[in-house]
Amino acid sequence: MSQFLGEMMLGAGAIRREQLEEAMALHRARGMRIGEALLELGHTDEGTLFRFLAKQQGMPFVDLDKGRIAPAVLARVPSEVARTQEVLPVMEKDGKLFVAVDDPLKRIVADQLQFAIGGEVVCALAAPGALRRALARHYGGDDQERLARQMKVEGAEAEADAPIVRLVTRMFHQALEMRASDIHVEPGHGRLRVRYRIDGMLRDMAEHPPHLHAPVVSRLKIMAAMDIAEKRKPQDGRIGLRLDGREVDVRASILPGNHGESMVLRLLDRGRSLLSLKDLGFEEEDHRWFRRLIKRPNGIVLVTGPTGSGKTTTLYAALSELNRPDVKIVTAEDPVEYHLAGINQVQVHPRIGLTFARILKAMLRCAPNIILVGEIRDMETAEIAIQASLTGHLVFSTLHTNDAPSALTRLTDIGVKPFLVSAAVQAVIAQRLVRRLCGECARTQPASEAEARALGLDAATVAGRSFRVPRGCRACEGTGYRGRIALFEHMEMDAEVRELVFRGGSLEQVRKAAAASGNLHALLADGARKVLSGQTSTAEVMRVTRLAAEVEV
């Protein structure tokens, strides 16, 4: 939606000049598209806006709240395809099937449907709300769906009065106030349990009667544009919220279970400031190493770790240091977590075929200097990223592995040839997040021999020293910790490691060779440094390095 759309609506008398100027101010302040700004300000409605958008895009417009669709037309597109792709067949004319979509970019769906149904397909634009209602009307159908439709009342005043809506809204407000990264909504054992993940640890926050499970999940499904009627399959969706003046994106995932559907809502506060490399936890020596590494002209740099370990935040911090007017940076992300000025960011959209691999192929034609691929998930994405790194591009990406050397074997496991891995990879960073000791209440106690052993320190290093340990106060809600900091393991490729990878050497051989040459700096060693400097506790380091069961501290 461009300014031209606003001028078109102004010229047709659909909005006034002062309304357009007010929307333009919102567009400049928050980066919103003009159409979105007009909707948020209440200067137009979805039907009017999308009627003009269809005209701007040269597409037919269809009002799905009016008229009937013939059963024979609906039968042309399987219900599974219609719900998954969010398209609705509306009419047949001159041998063409017209399908309603809610985004002009979805015209790519027409190509896919033509192969599926064996005929010409034309896309018509519909208002998103009307399309969702029509899909539910024609392809939905059970009591839970009807309940959910009743909950989606028209008008903010009526919505504010709905008890379930208020419950869900309060849950989001409370989670943000408590710095939660996730909300877990879980049924079972005669209750509906709500837990928040705060500083990486789950905490029970509320229990509700079991009869609230269906309406709460239905409300969340509606907000995430999920299929309300489907309760047997996993689903993913997204929610955009504005709470207390903060823009919040929510990634929603549903998993069917024995007791019903459980839901995880991952919160992303767009109002957060971007962390620098030092804020993340890079010590001075590691910071210098990483800055030298990311200034190389080509190659691939991988950041690994489990979900929620801060991998993407580390890569954003690197991009912010490299972001200059003379450098073109392009990213493919799922989702776009931060908006960085001067960087071309592309959102992955699997429903319309916009995958990491497809974006990566397209971005190589845009002559970038630096490429960020949010995650390497398959062989196709890995091979394109590696080929890009071998043809003059600096590529950043993430993998899910336990440590830095494992990233090399992981690439070969998914099908990348060893000689490509050997030639392309410049370095791998593995990271974990540990809780930071509360600055208000942490106390000190003499370091024990068990702690020294657990951290890989010799007795002389800790002799006469004290370690900070958690206590608990009102500021940290009795946990002894507030906030998090990253531990890093990094491995730089050298000739010997490259040769081992080329020959298909084992993970243990690669690890030993990198350690012997001094190019592997272990996660535990970085944890020990942060314990010695008083930033975290031995127990936290043991928790994330998986040694807690082996050493009693």
Side-chain angles (χ1 to χ4, degrees), residues 71-105:
V73 173
L74 290 169
R76 291 291 307 277
V77 178
S79 61
E80 181 76 16
V81 174
R83 285 198 298 256
T84 303
Q85 300 289 351
E86 291 185 333
V87 299
L88 181 72
V90 290
M91 65 177 289
E92 282 186 294
K93 185 178 180 182
D94 300 327
K96 300 175 183 176
L97 178 67
F98 286 73
V99 297
V101 297
D102 61 0
D103 188 336
L105 293 175

PDB file of all heavy atoms in Angstrom, residues 71-105:
ATOM      1  N   PRO A  71     -22.171 -24.510  -4.736  1.00  0.00           N
ATOM      2  CA  PRO A  71     -21.437 -25.667  -4.201  1.00  0.00           C
ATOM      3  C   PRO A  71     -20.462 -26.268  -5.199  1.00  0.00           C
ATOM      4  O   PRO A  71     -19.385 -26.729  -4.824  1.00  0.00           O
ATOM      5  CB  PRO A  71     -22.565 -26.650  -3.847  1.00  0.00           C
ATOM      6  CG  PRO A  71     -23.766 -25.793  -3.604  1.00  0.00           C
ATOM      7  CD  PRO A  71     -23.629 -24.654  -4.555  1.00  0.00           C
ATOM      8  N   ALA A  72     -20.825 -26.265  -6.494  1.00  0.00           N
ATOM      9  CA  ALA A  72     -19.929 -26.827  -7.514  1.00  0.00           C
ATOM     10  C   ALA A  72     -18.628 -26.032  -7.609  1.00  0.00           C
ATOM     11  O   ALA A  72     -17.559 -26.589  -7.865  1.00  0.00           O
ATOM     12  CB  ALA A  72     -20.632 -26.849  -8.870  1.00  0.00           C
ATOM     13  N   VAL A  73     -18.711 -24.705  -7.392  1.00  0.00           N
ATOM     14  CA  VAL A  73     -17.513 -23.861  -7.423  1.00  0.00           C
ATOM     15  C   VAL A  73     -16.643 -24.149  -6.209  1.00  0.00           C
ATOM     16  O   VAL A  73     -15.419 -24.294  -6.312  1.00  0.00           O
ATOM     17  CB  VAL A  73     -17.898 -22.373  -7.480  1.00  0.00           C
ATOM     18  CG1 VAL A  73     -16.659 -21.483  -7.332  1.00  0.00           C
ATOM     19  CG2 VAL A  73     -18.614 -22.064  -8.791  1.00  0.00           C
ATOM     20  N   LEU A  74     -17.275 -24.240  -5.040  1.00  0.00           N
ATOM     21  CA  LEU A  74     -16.527 -24.546  -3.811  1.00  0.00           C
ATOM     22  C   LEU A  74     -15.823 -25.888  -3.924  1.00  0.00           C
ATOM     23  O   LEU A  74     -14.704 -26.070  -3.419  1.00  0.00           O
ATOM     24  CB  LEU A  74     -17.468 -24.556  -2.602  1.00  0.00           C
ATOM     25  CG  LEU A  74     -18.024 -23.198  -2.161  1.00  0.00           C
ATOM     26  CD1 LEU A  74     -19.134 -23.391  -1.157  1.00  0.00           C
ATOM     27  CD2 LEU A  74     -16.908 -22.342  -1.560  1.00  0.00           C
ATOM     28  N   ALA A  75     -16.431 -26.840  -4.616  1.00  0.00           N
ATOM     29  CA  ALA A  75     -15.853 -28.180  -4.734  1.00  0.00           C
ATOM     30  C   ALA A  75     -14.612 -28.197  -5.622  1.00  0.00           C
ATOM     31  O   ALA A  75     -13.841 -29.171  -5.587  1.00  0.00           O
ATOM     32  CB  ALA A  75     -16.901 -29.149  -5.286  1.00  0.00           C
ATOM     33  N   ARG A  76     -14.405 -27.138  -6.419  1.00  0.00           N
ATOM     34  CA  ARG A  76     -13.234 -27.113  -7.305  1.00  0.00           C
ATOM     35  C   ARG A  76     -11.920 -27.068  -6.536  1.00  0.00           C
ATOM     36  O   ARG A  76     -10.880 -27.510  -7.025  1.00  0.00           O
ATOM     37  CB  ARG A  76     -13.288 -25.887  -8.247  1.00  0.00           C
ATOM     38  CG  ARG A  76     -14.364 -25.924  -9.292  1.00  0.00           C
ATOM     39  CD  ARG A  76     -14.114 -26.991 -10.356  1.00  0.00           C
ATOM     40  NE  ARG A  76     -12.805 -26.922 -10.972  1.00  0.00           N
ATOM     41  CZ  ARG A  76     -12.470 -26.124 -11.981  1.00  0.00           C
ATOM     42  NH1 ARG A  76     -13.381 -25.301 -12.489  1.00  0.00           N
ATOM     43  NH2 ARG A  76     -11.256 -26.138 -12.499  1.00  0.00           N
ATOM     44  N   VAL A  77     -11.928 -26.487  -5.316  1.00  0.00           N
ATOM     45  CA  VAL A  77     -10.706 -26.375  -4.501  1.00  0.00           C
ATOM     46  C   VAL A  77     -10.902 -27.179  -3.220  1.00  0.00           C
ATOM     47  O   VAL A  77     -11.847 -26.913  -2.467  1.00  0.00           O
ATOM     48  CB  VAL A  77     -10.383 -24.905  -4.155  1.00  0.00           C
ATOM     49  CG1 VAL A  77      -9.147 -24.813  -3.264  1.00  0.00           C
ATOM     50  CG2 VAL A  77     -10.172 -24.097  -5.428  1.00  0.00           C
ATOM     51  N   PRO A  78     -10.038 -28.170  -2.951  1.00  0.00           N
ATOM     52  CA  PRO A  78     -10.176 -28.957  -1.718  1.00  0.00           C
ATOM     53  C   PRO A  78     -10.132 -28.064  -0.486  1.00  0.00           C
ATOM     54  O   PRO A  78      -9.405 -27.061  -0.452  1.00  0.00           O
ATOM     55  CB  PRO A  78      -8.965 -29.904  -1.759  1.00  0.00           C
ATOM     56  CG  PRO A  78      -8.553 -29.951  -3.196  1.00  0.00           C
ATOM     57  CD  PRO A  78      -8.898 -28.618  -3.767  1.00  0.00           C
ATOM     58  N   SER A  79     -10.929 -28.419   0.526  1.00  0.00           N
ATOM     59  CA  SER A  79     -11.002 -27.586   1.737  1.00  0.00           C
ATOM     60  C   SER A  79      -9.634 -27.428   2.393  1.00  0.00           C
ATOM     61  O   SER A  79      -9.313 -26.358   2.928  1.00  0.00           O
ATOM     62  CB  SER A  79     -11.996 -28.190   2.732  1.00  0.00           C
ATOM     63  OG  SER A  79     -11.586 -29.501   3.118  1.00  0.00           O
ATOM     64  N   GLU A  80      -8.805 -28.487   2.374  1.00  0.00           N
ATOM     65  CA  GLU A  80      -7.465 -28.416   2.985  1.00  0.00           C
ATOM     66  C   GLU A  80      -6.624 -27.338   2.311  1.00  0.00           C
ATOM     67  O   GLU A  80      -5.959 -26.535   2.961  1.00  0.00           O
ATOM     68  CB  GLU A  80      -6.776 -29.784   2.867  1.00  0.00           C
ATOM     69  CG  GLU A  80      -5.393 -29.866   3.488  1.00  0.00           C
ATOM     70  CD  GLU A  80      -5.455 -29.940   5.001  1.00  0.00           C
ATOM     71  OE1 GLU A  80      -6.534 -30.221   5.543  1.00  0.00           O
ATOM     72  OE2 GLU A  80      -4.412 -29.689   5.624  1.00  0.00           O
ATOM     73  N   VAL A  81      -6.699 -27.311   0.960  1.00  0.00           N
ATOM     74  CA  VAL A  81      -5.932 -26.308   0.195  1.00  0.00           C
ATOM     75  C   VAL A  81      -6.474 -24.913   0.471  1.00  0.00           C
ATOM     76  O   VAL A  81      -5.720 -23.956   0.674  1.00  0.00           O
ATOM     77  CB  VAL A  81      -5.980 -26.630  -1.312  1.00  0.00           C
ATOM     78  CG1 VAL A  81      -5.311 -25.522  -2.125  1.00  0.00           C
ATOM     79  CG2 VAL A  81      -5.325 -27.969  -1.595  1.00  0.00           C
ATOM     80  N   ALA A  82      -7.789 -24.790   0.476  1.00  0.00           N
ATOM     81  CA  ALA A  82      -8.395 -23.470   0.694  1.00  0.00           C
ATOM     82  C   ALA A  82      -8.003 -22.895   2.045  1.00  0.00           C
ATOM     83  O   ALA A  82      -7.657 -21.711   2.158  1.00  0.00           O
ATOM     84  CB  ALA A  82      -9.918 -23.575   0.586  1.00  0.00           C
ATOM     85  N   ARG A  83      -8.049 -23.749   3.100  1.00  0.00           N
ATOM     86  CA  ARG A  83      -7.714 -23.255   4.440  1.00  0.00           C
ATOM     87  C   ARG A  83      -6.232 -22.968   4.575  1.00  0.00           C
ATOM     88  O   ARG A  83      -5.823 -21.977   5.174  1.00  0.00           O
ATOM     89  CB  ARG A  83      -8.164 -24.261   5.493  1.00  0.00           C
ATOM     90  CG  ARG A  83      -9.679 -24.271   5.720  1.00  0.00           C
ATOM     91  CD  ARG A  83     -10.021 -24.939   7.041  1.00  0.00           C
ATOM     92  NE  ARG A  83      -9.606 -26.327   7.058  1.00  0.00           N
ATOM     93  CZ  ARG A  83     -10.420 -27.365   6.921  1.00  0.00           C
ATOM     94  NH1 ARG A  83     -11.710 -27.145   6.722  1.00  0.00           N
ATOM     95  NH2 ARG A  83      -9.971 -28.602   6.974  1.00  0.00           N
ATOM     96  N   THR A  84      -5.390 -23.864   4.029  1.00  0.00           N
ATOM     97  CA  THR A  84      -3.938 -23.698   4.167  1.00  0.00           C
ATOM     98  C   THR A  84      -3.449 -22.472   3.405  1.00  0.00           C
ATOM     99  O   THR A  84      -2.664 -21.672   3.908  1.00  0.00           O
ATOM    100  CB  THR A  84      -3.194 -24.955   3.658  1.00  0.00           C
ATOM    101  OG1 THR A  84      -3.660 -26.086   4.380  1.00  0.00           O
ATOM    102  CG2 THR A  84      -1.693 -24.808   3.840  1.00  0.00           C
ATOM    103  N   GLN A  85      -3.933 -22.318   2.165  1.00  0.00           N
ATOM    104  CA  GLN A  85      -3.464 -21.209   1.326  1.00  0.00           C
ATOM    105  C   GLN A  85      -4.266 -19.927   1.556  1.00  0.00           C
ATOM    106  O   GLN A  85      -3.896 -18.872   1.040  1.00  0.00           O
ATOM    107  CB  GLN A  85      -3.561 -21.595  -0.159  1.00  0.00           C
ATOM    108  CG  GLN A  85      -2.743 -22.819  -0.538  1.00  0.00           C
ATOM    109  CD  GLN A  85      -1.260 -22.542  -0.525  1.00  0.00           C
ATOM    110  OE1 GLN A  85      -0.838 -21.394  -0.402  1.00  0.00           O
ATOM    111  NE2 GLN A  85      -0.457 -23.585  -0.635  1.00  0.00           N
ATOM    112  N   GLU A  86      -5.381 -20.039   2.311  1.00  0.00           N
ATOM    113  CA  GLU A  86      -6.264 -18.894   2.560  1.00  0.00           C
ATOM    114  C   GLU A  86      -6.778 -18.303   1.253  1.00  0.00           C
ATOM    115  O   GLU A  86      -6.613 -17.115   0.963  1.00  0.00           O
ATOM    116  CB  GLU A  86      -5.559 -17.828   3.407  1.00  0.00           C
ATOM    117  CG  GLU A  86      -5.320 -18.276   4.834  1.00  0.00           C
ATOM    118  CD  GLU A  86      -4.745 -17.190   5.715  1.00  0.00           C
ATOM    119  OE1 GLU A  86      -4.063 -16.289   5.191  1.00  0.00           O
ATOM    120  OE2 GLU A  86      -4.979 -17.250   6.931  1.00  0.00           O
ATOM    121  N   VAL A  87      -7.383 -19.170   0.440  1.00  0.00           N
ATOM    122  CA  VAL A  87      -8.017 -18.751  -0.813  1.00  0.00           C
ATOM    123  C   VAL A  87      -9.423 -19.328  -0.844  1.00  0.00           C
ATOM    124  O   VAL A  87      -9.689 -20.372  -0.260  1.00  0.00           O
ATOM    125  CB  VAL A  87      -7.228 -19.222  -2.058  1.00  0.00           C
ATOM    126  CG1 VAL A  87      -5.827 -18.641  -2.074  1.00  0.00           C
ATOM    127  CG2 VAL A  87      -7.162 -20.742  -2.132  1.00  0.00           C
ATOM    128  N   LEU A  88     -10.339 -18.639  -1.525  1.00  0.00           N
ATOM    129  CA  LEU A  88     -11.724 -19.088  -1.595  1.00  0.00           C
ATOM    130  C   LEU A  88     -12.217 -19.001  -3.034  1.00  0.00           C
ATOM    131  O   LEU A  88     -12.229 -17.903  -3.619  1.00  0.00           O
ATOM    132  CB  LEU A  88     -12.606 -18.220  -0.692  1.00  0.00           C
ATOM    133  CG  LEU A  88     -14.084 -18.610  -0.647  1.00  0.00           C
ATOM    134  CD1 LEU A  88     -14.266 -19.908   0.139  1.00  0.00           C
ATOM    135  CD2 LEU A  88     -14.915 -17.498  -0.032  1.00  0.00           C
ATOM    136  N   PRO A  89     -12.612 -20.133  -3.644  1.00  0.00           N
ATOM    137  CA  PRO A  89     -13.188 -20.062  -4.997  1.00  0.00           C
ATOM    138  C   PRO A  89     -14.539 -19.371  -4.939  1.00  0.00           C
ATOM    139  O   PRO A  89     -15.375 -19.676  -4.073  1.00  0.00           O
ATOM    140  CB  PRO A  89     -13.324 -21.538  -5.387  1.00  0.00           C
ATOM    141  CG  PRO A  89     -13.406 -22.289  -4.093  1.00  0.00           C
ATOM    142  CD  PRO A  89     -12.588 -21.504  -3.109  1.00  0.00           C
ATOM    143  N   VAL A  90     -14.771 -18.416  -5.858  1.00  0.00           N
ATOM    144  CA  VAL A  90     -16.007 -17.633  -5.777  1.00  0.00           C
ATOM    145  C   VAL A  90     -16.901 -17.780  -7.012  1.00  0.00           C
ATOM    146  O   VAL A  90     -18.126 -17.698  -6.908  1.00  0.00           O
ATOM    147  CB  VAL A  90     -15.709 -16.140  -5.514  1.00  0.00           C
ATOM    148  CG1 VAL A  90     -15.179 -15.940  -4.109  1.00  0.00           C
ATOM    149  CG2 VAL A  90     -14.733 -15.572  -6.531  1.00  0.00           C
ATOM    150  N   MET A  91     -16.305 -17.981  -8.196  1.00  0.00           N
ATOM    151  CA  MET A  91     -17.135 -18.116  -9.397  1.00  0.00           C
ATOM    152  C   MET A  91     -16.311 -18.675 -10.544  1.00  0.00           C
ATOM    153  O   MET A  91     -15.082 -18.636 -10.521  1.00  0.00           O
ATOM    154  CB  MET A  91     -17.735 -16.765  -9.793  1.00  0.00           C
ATOM    155  CG  MET A  91     -16.698 -15.722 -10.211  1.00  0.00           C
ATOM    156  SD  MET A  91     -17.416 -14.160 -10.763  1.00  0.00           S
ATOM    157  CE  MET A  91     -18.113 -14.636 -12.326  1.00  0.00           C
ATOM    158  N   GLU A  92     -17.028 -19.204 -11.544  1.00  0.00           N
ATOM    159  CA  GLU A  92     -16.405 -19.635 -12.793  1.00  0.00           C
ATOM    160  C   GLU A  92     -16.997 -18.827 -13.930  1.00  0.00           C
ATOM    161  O   GLU A  92     -18.225 -18.626 -13.999  1.00  0.00           O
ATOM    162  CB  GLU A  92     -16.653 -21.127 -13.032  1.00  0.00           C
ATOM    163  CG  GLU A  92     -15.753 -22.036 -12.212  1.00  0.00           C
ATOM    164  CD  GLU A  92     -15.931 -23.499 -12.600  1.00  0.00           C
ATOM    165  OE1 GLU A  92     -17.031 -24.030 -12.364  1.00  0.00           O
ATOM    166  OE2 GLU A  92     -14.977 -24.079 -13.138  1.00  0.00           O
ATOM    167  N   LYS A  93     -16.118 -18.339 -14.820  1.00  0.00           N
ATOM    168  CA  LYS A  93     -16.598 -17.523 -15.942  1.00  0.00           C
ATOM    169  C   LYS A  93     -15.647 -17.695 -17.110  1.00  0.00           C
ATOM    170  O   LYS A  93     -14.420 -17.553 -16.942  1.00  0.00           O
ATOM    171  CB  LYS A  93     -16.676 -16.057 -15.519  1.00  0.00           C
ATOM    172  CG  LYS A  93     -17.293 -15.149 -16.586  1.00  0.00           C
ATOM    173  CD  LYS A  93     -17.392 -13.712 -16.067  1.00  0.00           C
ATOM    174  CE  LYS A  93     -18.007 -12.796 -17.108  1.00  0.00           C
ATOM    175  NZ  LYS A  93     -18.069 -11.394 -16.643  1.00  0.00           N
ATOM    176  N   ASP A  94     -16.191 -18.011 -18.265  1.00  0.00           N
ATOM    177  CA  ASP A  94     -15.399 -18.195 -19.491  1.00  0.00           C
ATOM    178  C   ASP A  94     -14.263 -19.186 -19.302  1.00  0.00           C
ATOM    179  O   ASP A  94     -13.144 -18.965 -19.776  1.00  0.00           O
ATOM    180  CB  ASP A  94     -14.833 -16.844 -19.968  1.00  0.00           C
ATOM    181  CG  ASP A  94     -15.917 -15.831 -20.271  1.00  0.00           C
ATOM    182  OD1 ASP A  94     -17.015 -16.249 -20.719  1.00  0.00           O
ATOM    183  OD2 ASP A  94     -15.677 -14.627 -20.050  1.00  0.00           O
ATOM    184  N   GLY A  95     -14.535 -20.267 -18.554  1.00  0.00           N
ATOM    185  CA  GLY A  95     -13.528 -21.302 -18.348  1.00  0.00           C
ATOM    186  C   GLY A  95     -12.474 -20.953 -17.313  1.00  0.00           C
ATOM    187  O   GLY A  95     -11.509 -21.701 -17.136  1.00  0.00           O
ATOM    188  N   LYS A  96     -12.637 -19.816 -16.626  1.00  0.00           N
ATOM    189  CA  LYS A  96     -11.667 -19.399 -15.608  1.00  0.00           C
ATOM    190  C   LYS A  96     -12.298 -19.526 -14.219  1.00  0.00           C
ATOM    191  O   LYS A  96     -13.478 -19.203 -14.039  1.00  0.00           O
ATOM    192  CB  LYS A  96     -11.226 -17.947 -15.827  1.00  0.00           C
ATOM    193  CG  LYS A  96     -10.561 -17.693 -17.173  1.00  0.00           C
ATOM    194  CD  LYS A  96     -10.284 -16.196 -17.344  1.00  0.00           C
ATOM    195  CE  LYS A  96      -9.693 -15.907 -18.717  1.00  0.00           C
ATOM    196  NZ  LYS A  96      -9.498 -14.449 -18.936  1.00  0.00           N
ATOM    197  N   LEU A  97     -11.494 -19.975 -13.265  1.00  0.00           N
ATOM    198  CA  LEU A  97     -11.939 -20.041 -11.871  1.00  0.00           C
ATOM    199  C   LEU A  97     -11.412 -18.813 -11.140  1.00  0.00           C
ATOM    200  O   LEU A  97     -10.196 -18.588 -11.086  1.00  0.00           O
ATOM    201  CB  LEU A  97     -11.420 -21.314 -11.200  1.00  0.00           C
ATOM    202  CG  LEU A  97     -11.780 -21.468  -9.714  1.00  0.00           C
ATOM    203  CD1 LEU A  97     -13.286 -21.673  -9.546  1.00  0.00           C
ATOM    204  CD2 LEU A  97     -11.011 -22.625  -9.079  1.00  0.00           C
ATOM    205  N   PHE A  98     -12.300 -18.013 -10.580  1.00  0.00           N
ATOM    206  CA  PHE A  98     -11.911 -16.830  -9.810  1.00  0.00           C
ATOM    207  C   PHE A  98     -11.825 -17.222  -8.333  1.00  0.00           C
ATOM    208  O   PHE A  98     -12.781 -17.777  -7.780  1.00  0.00           O
ATOM    209  CB  PHE A  98     -12.918 -15.697  -9.991  1.00  0.00           C
ATOM    210  CG  PHE A  98     -12.834 -15.027 -11.332  1.00  0.00           C
ATOM    211  CD1 PHE A  98     -13.306 -15.668 -12.478  1.00  0.00           C
ATOM    212  CD2 PHE A  98     -12.273 -13.774 -11.471  1.00  0.00           C
ATOM    213  CE1 PHE A  98     -13.215 -15.062 -13.728  1.00  0.00           C
ATOM    214  CE2 PHE A  98     -12.181 -13.159 -12.704  1.00  0.00           C
ATOM    215  CZ  PHE A  98     -12.647 -13.805 -13.850  1.00  0.00           C
ATOM    216  N   VAL A  99     -10.666 -16.935  -7.707  1.00  0.00           N
ATOM    217  CA  VAL A  99     -10.483 -17.228  -6.284  1.00  0.00           C
ATOM    218  C   VAL A  99     -10.165 -15.938  -5.545  1.00  0.00           C
ATOM    219  O   VAL A  99      -9.452 -15.070  -6.056  1.00  0.00           O
ATOM    220  CB  VAL A  99      -9.358 -18.268  -6.046  1.00  0.00           C
ATOM    221  CG1 VAL A  99      -9.700 -19.592  -6.687  1.00  0.00           C
ATOM    222  CG2 VAL A  99      -8.010 -17.755  -6.522  1.00  0.00           C
ATOM    223  N   ALA A 100     -10.715 -15.821  -4.344  1.00  0.00           N
ATOM    224  CA  ALA A 100     -10.494 -14.626  -3.528  1.00  0.00           C
ATOM    225  C   ALA A 100      -9.240 -14.793  -2.671  1.00  0.00           C
ATOM    226  O   ALA A 100      -9.030 -15.847  -2.068  1.00  0.00           O
ATOM    227  CB  ALA A 100     -11.699 -14.380  -2.628  1.00  0.00           C
ATOM    228  N   VAL A 101      -8.398 -13.746  -2.631  1.00  0.00           N
ATOM    229  CA  VAL A 101      -7.209 -13.701  -1.771  1.00  0.00           C
ATOM    230  C   VAL A 101      -7.239 -12.373  -1.020  1.00  0.00           C
ATOM    231  O   VAL A 101      -7.942 -11.446  -1.411  1.00  0.00           O
ATOM    232  CB  VAL A 101      -5.899 -13.829  -2.584  1.00  0.00           C
ATOM    233  CG1 VAL A 101      -5.818 -15.171  -3.290  1.00  0.00           C
ATOM    234  CG2 VAL A 101      -5.758 -12.689  -3.601  1.00  0.00           C
ATOM    235  N   ASP A 102      -6.460 -12.271   0.073  1.00  0.00           N
ATOM    236  CA  ASP A 102      -6.481 -11.034   0.867  1.00  0.00           C
ATOM    237  C   ASP A 102      -5.189 -10.230   0.735  1.00  0.00           C
ATOM    238  O   ASP A 102      -4.960  -9.297   1.500  1.00  0.00           O
ATOM    239  CB  ASP A 102      -6.760 -11.346   2.341  1.00  0.00           C
ATOM    240  CG  ASP A 102      -5.701 -12.246   2.948  1.00  0.00           C
ATOM    241  OD1 ASP A 102      -4.751 -12.630   2.226  1.00  0.00           O
ATOM    242  OD2 ASP A 102      -5.816 -12.573   4.137  1.00  0.00           O
ATOM    243  N   ASP A 103      -4.335 -10.601  -0.213  1.00  0.00           N
ATOM    244  CA  ASP A 103      -3.056  -9.915  -0.394  1.00  0.00           C
ATOM    245  C   ASP A 103      -2.686 -10.009  -1.862  1.00  0.00           C
ATOM    246  O   ASP A 103      -2.654 -11.109  -2.424  1.00  0.00           O
ATOM    247  CB  ASP A 103      -1.984 -10.576   0.478  1.00  0.00           C
ATOM    248  CG  ASP A 103      -0.675  -9.802   0.499  1.00  0.00           C
ATOM    249  OD1 ASP A 103      -0.384  -9.038  -0.456  1.00  0.00           O
ATOM    250  OD2 ASP A 103       0.084  -9.971   1.466  1.00  0.00           O
ATOM    251  N   PRO A 104      -2.379  -8.876  -2.515  1.00  0.00           N
ATOM    252  CA  PRO A 104      -1.997  -8.936  -3.933  1.00  0.00           C
ATOM    253  C   PRO A 104      -0.800  -9.848  -4.205  1.00  0.00           C
ATOM    254  O   PRO A 104      -0.689 -10.425  -5.286  1.00  0.00           O
ATOM    255  CB  PRO A 104      -1.660  -7.471  -4.258  1.00  0.00           C
ATOM    256  CG  PRO A 104      -2.419  -6.671  -3.258  1.00  0.00           C
ATOM    257  CD  PRO A 104      -2.448  -7.494  -2.012  1.00  0.00           C
ATOM    258  N   LEU A 105       0.097  -9.986  -3.212  1.00  0.00           N
ATOM    259  CA  LEU A 105       1.262 -10.845  -3.406  1.00  0.00           C
ATOM    260  C   LEU A 105       0.883 -12.314  -3.550  1.00  0.00           C
ATOM    261  O   LEU A 105       1.675 -13.133  -4.027  1.00  0.00           O
ATOM    262  CB  LEU A 105       2.245 -10.683  -2.241  1.00  0.00           C
ATOM    263  CG  LEU A 105       2.932  -9.323  -2.128  1.00  0.00           C
ATOM    264  CD1 LEU A 105       3.783  -9.265  -0.865  1.00  0.00           C
ATOM    265  CD2 LEU A 105       3.795  -9.054  -3.352  1.00  0.00           C
TER     266      LEU A 105
END
